[in-house]
Amino acid sequence: MRGKQRYYCKSCDFHFTINETAVPQENRRPHEVTIMDLAQQLGISKSTVSRALRGHADIHEGTRKMILDLAQELDYQPNPLANALLKRQTNIVGILVPEFRHYFFPTFIMGAQEVLSKAGYNVMICQSDESYETEVANVKALLRSRVDGLLVSITAKTDNFDHFRTVMQKEIPLVFFNRVCPELDTPQVIIDDYSGAFQAVEHLIEQGYRRIAHLAGPVTLQVSRLRLQGYVDALQKHQLPLDQDLIVYHDLTEEHARICTRQLLDLPQPPDAIFAVNDPCAIEIMLIAKERGINIPQDLGIVGFSNDPISAIIEPSLTTVEQPVWKIGEESARLLLEQMEQPTVEKRMLATRLIVRKSSMRKG
Amino acid sequence: MRGKQRYYCKSCDFHFTINETAVPQENRRPHEVTIMDLAQQLGISKSTVSRALRGHADIHEGTRKMILDLAQELDYQPNPLANALLKRQTNIVGILVPEFRHYFFPTFIMGAQEVLSKAGYNVMICQSDESYETEVANVKALLRSRVDGLLVSITAKTDNFDHFRTVMQKEIPLVFFNRVCPELDTPQVIIDDYSGAFQAVEHLIEQGYRRIAHLAGPVTLQVSRLRLQGYVDALQKHQLPLDQDLIVYHDLTEEHARICTRQLLDLPQPPDAIFAVNDPCAIEIMLIAKERGINIPQDLGIVGFSNDPISAIIEPSLTTVEQPVWKIGEESARLLLEQMEQPTVEKRMLATRLIVRKSSMRKG
DNA sequence: CTGTTAGCGCTTTCAC
DNA sequence: GTGAAAGCGCTAACAG
């Protein structure tokens, strides 16, 4: 049956067999139209069909047309699995994010997907749910699925990066975004967290706040550290004292944000403003402040980070640092694509912009 | 080279060739460890290895252990592509949603993914961005990727269902959720939109509102029609007149929601309450009402649908109909899984619950 | 310009 | 209990 291009196919009209080797069909789904179906119906070899379909040069114009027409008529769809097996390339990109409840990651994904799908890539999305174990498992699953590249934002708990080292050893293109691994020499797309934070805090100072606290993120995350540094430096620039009591670290969960907020507000000398590491936790601060009847922005100024749509809706509206989320997605995807062509360790940084709203406008 | 189990492999230590047929390696990535690598290192046939790995019965205990140990040592990962090609089964489920900006779809996906990944399925997510053309293209892409099943929620613009008929013809398990196709006889998971809406409107009536408007969704969508019907019937039950001016249909975009809201509020006899088809548009209503200085809930009662987290945060907090989104995801996944075993057209309906908040509490 | 052949990694008969 | 062979759908080297 081999090498003779004889072919037997239950679901096609055009079939002829010589060797009736039992082909176990069992409960499998009927197959889609293949290159072989086309070849037989036209009485030519499947290589020729393949060539025509792939747009090779050395092919008779008439033959090509004939093949293309039939392919169209039968709605032939190449089987990407066969190709993937052969070429060791799936045209699938894995995206690994810590969560996608909030605004940031879904939007990122949309941006990335746009670029990726234009380049012919499908996307497989996994979320680690802020669990290190799940992250490791996801990386494994994605590798097993033979993705051609990986876009990842790590968990707040990730402090061992061996699973990413494996990816790098296998030379699978890898781009980190937002929550990156500084100790790994890989390409990444981040935003200017430091400047964003610096501006945010400077703005609070200009508005007359003097006891500015920082609800920080986990120190494990570079994003958190950079925003913290921006906060520290802005205070320093304006000769404000750095009070360690005013810096509290939370693990990015809402419950913990609430606990930390209470801790700040219960201080003997509570802060008159809080710079929050991101919008979701800034919202929690606002909720608690409102609960306690604290006047925002008069008694407490608040600034968040990321410009989550809620920040414009909540009252008072939340001053925040805008990040070009969609663009981060696009850039990350582009960087990944470039890296598939040629390995780099390029790091890209996108600008942020302070959006001043009511939660921090103490002066006119 | 065939049938002799001779094998040549650049990246493995253990290689021997007889026939030096040029194997084009080109710029392909080095291959992962295969069943053949194991077989050779152990000097046995790949069939035996396969059997051991797959846990067959007829295999010598010593051989099995030997194989399993080596597999572990070399971190052998079966290549799902080979299997997919062979079995015509990818273990990938496609999820097709109209968007995932808002709360609903990301949460749904998380619920579905949980069930699916436990059952050994990966997930491929596509969004149609409320475009019929994109939806059709996505279905095609998902079919081309040979997904084993499909979870879909249609676009507001979808009025031709041929692309789903194709899916059904190919006998690929298909479950609709939330935004379903009533004219297609497929399994689906929905919530009790009618009762939810009915309760919501009845609640408004109990609160003393008498001129209740409905910011409806597109009539193309069954969800919209059911919620509309709930609205209509609740009015009727309480002998309130049905004023067509008080029913406006919008296409689920925020801009259009705003236009329709203005249209309602600009009526010679504006409504004293609005029941919105979902929370995102209820939010838009609130924003406009606040802009105009309309007092909520005194002058205007508002009820939404879906219990988006924002609804608890916005001020006044938004009364809404809660849907068990996560559970819808789980149920849809389960139904899909069941259908892969045995075709059904089962339709499941989950209950809703009215959450009364400030935006509709005119009385105590 | 076209056909033959081999092989991607795996499972599954069919023999022994 | 184990091996040989065939084949899933496709591409590409080689030969004519």
Side-chain angles (χ1 to χ4, degrees), chain A residues 338-356:
Chain A
E338 287 170 26
Q339 223 208 128
M340 289 171 165
E341 294 301 311
Q342 189 176 45
T344 52
V345 287
E346 195 181 333
K347 300 188 197 309
R348 293 191 189 155
M349 190 191 274
L350 303 178
T352 59
R353 190 170 64 95
L354 182 71
I355 300 182
V356 178

Side-chain angles (χ1 to χ4, degrees), chain A residues 3 32 38 128 156 187 191 243 245 271 279:
Chain A
E32 308 283 311
L38 302 181
S128 6
I191 52 149
D243 184 344
D245 286 348
D279 279 0

Side-chain angles (χ1 to χ4, degrees), chain A residues 188-251:
Chain A
Q188 48 186 242
V189 176
I190 52 174
I191 52 149
D192 194 348
D193 294 291
Y194 174 81
S195 304
F198 189 94
Q199 277 176 54
V201 176
E202 199 161 37
H203 158 73
L204 283 170
I205 298 172
E206 280 161 10
Q207 290 293 314
Y209 297 102
R210 286 295 169 270
R211 232 179 122 58
I212 302 171
H214 180 34
L215 177 47
V219 267
T220 42
L221 257 27
Q222 178 188 266
V223 222
S224 312
R225 292 197 301 269
L226 286 172
R227 292 180 193 176
L228 172 62
Q229 195 59 52
Y231 160 83
V232 170
D233 288 1
L235 291 188
Q236 192 159 36
K237 174 180 170 192
H238 293 268
Q239 276 110 34
L240 287 178
L242 185 63
D243 184 344
Q244 287 298 341
D245 286 348
L246 291 182
I247 303 178
V248 287
Y249 301 87
H250 87 299
D251 66 4

Side-chain angles (χ1 to χ4, degrees), chain A residues 3-301:
Chain A
K4 285 266 187 286
Q5 305 246 2
R6 311 267 179 211
Y7 188 71
Y8 173 62
C9 157
K10 283 188 182 163
S11 40
C12 307
D13 280 334
F14 214 95
H15 53 185
F16 56 96
T17 333
I18 290 184
N19 186 355
E20 251 292 293
T21 337
V23 178
Q25 285 292 122
E26 271 198 280
N27 53 357
R28 292 181 196 169
R29 66 173 59 265
H31 79 204
E32 308 283 311
V33 16
T34 73
I35 202 188
M36 257 312 255
D37 295 324
L38 302 181
Q40 288 176 210
Q41 295 212 22
L42 296 170
I44 57 181
S45 82
K46 58 179 183 158
S47 345
T48 305
V49 175
S50 171
R51 275 187 286 250
L53 258 18
R54 313 247 36 236
H56 272 238
D58 282 356
I59 195 162
H60 187 80
E61 198 37 63
T63 319
R64 156 176 293 132
K65 188 169 174 0
M66 188 173 78
I67 295 171
L68 261 33
D69 285 354
L70 185 62
Q72 174 116 44
E73 189 193 324
L74 299 186
D75 189 30
Y76 166 78
Q77 302 283 7
N79 186 334
L81 294 164
N83 223 305
L85 184 58
L86 193 60
K87 302 275 205 45
R88 295 204 192 91
Q89 184 189 318
T90 52
N91 276 12
I92 295 178
V93 164
I95 301 187
L96 182 50
V97 296
E99 49 103 354
F100 57 82
R101 248 187 317 273
H102 299 296
Y103 161 76
F104 187 85
F105 291 109
T107 310
F108 170 91
I109 292 171
M110 290 169 70
Q113 217 167 27
E114 188 175 83
V115 171
L116 256 14
S117 70
K118 264 186 197 139
Y121 285 88
N122 278 110
V123 154
M124 197 163 264
I125 301 163
C126 290
Q127 36 151 354
S128 6
D129 214 9
E130 296 289 8
S131 145
Y132 167 73
E133 286 74 24
T134 311
E135 182 178 278
V136 174
N138 279 335
V139 169
K140 255 197 130 174
L142 255 9
L143 286 184
R144 205 173 20 238
S145 294
R146 306 300 201 266
V147 293
D148 290 341
L150 234 32
L151 251 27
V152 359
S153 199
I154 64 172
T155 281
K157 303 201 185 80
T158 308
D159 52 356
N160 177 326
F161 304 107
D162 287 348
H163 46 312
F164 296 122
R165 291 210 179 80
T166 309
V167 175
M168 293 169 73
Q169 268 164 26
K170 292 185 193 277
E171 296 183 68
I172 292 169
L174 172 62
V175 171
F176 286 98
F177 64 93
N178 183 252
R179 303 194 190 172
V180 303
C181 297
E183 58 186 273
L184 254 37
D185 201 28
T186 54
Q188 48 186 242
V189 176
I190 52 174
I191 52 149
D192 194 348
D193 294 291
Y194 174 81
S195 304
F198 189 94
Q199 277 176 54
V201 176
E202 199 161 37
H203 158 73
L204 283 170
I205 298 172
E206 280 161 10
Q207 290 293 314
Y209 297 102
R210 286 295 169 270
R211 232 179 122 58
I212 302 171
H214 180 34
L215 177 47
V219 267
T220 42
L221 257 27
Q222 178 188 266
V223 222
S224 312
R225 292 197 301 269
L226 286 172
R227 292 180 193 176
L228 172 62
Q229 195 59 52
Y231 160 83
V232 170
D233 288 1
L235 291 188
Q236 192 159 36
K237 174 180 170 192
H238 293 268
Q239 276 110 34
L240 287 178
L242 185 63
D243 184 344
Q244 287 298 341
D245 286 348
L246 291 182
I247 303 178
V248 287
Y249 301 87
H250 87 299
D251 66 4
L252 300 179
T253 64
E254 281 154 23
E255 312 84 70
H256 200 202
R258 281 192 289 269
I259 293 170
C260 292
T261 303
R262 294 206 182 90
Q263 188 184 322
L264 283 175
L265 297 180
D266 289 341
L267 243 31
Q269 283 191 47
D272 61 358
I274 305 179
F275 166 54
V277 72
N278 64 24
D279 279 0
C281 76
I283 304 282
E284 296 303 323
I285 299 174
M286 288 188 69
L287 260 23
I288 291 185
K290 291 207 270 187
E291 230 174 78
R292 296 190 174 198
I294 297 174
N295 188 328
I296 305 170
Q298 293 315 319
D299 304 333
L300 188 69

Side-chain angles (χ1 to χ4, degrees), chain B residues 47-76:
Chain B
S47 339
T48 305
V49 176
S50 170
R51 275 186 287 249
L53 259 17
R54 312 249 36 237
H56 272 238
D58 281 357
I59 195 161
H60 186 80
E61 199 37 64
T63 319
R64 158 177 291 134
K65 187 168 173 4
M66 187 173 79
I67 295 170
L68 260 31
D69 286 353
L70 185 62
Q72 174 117 44
E73 189 193 323
L74 299 186
D75 190 31
Y76 167 79

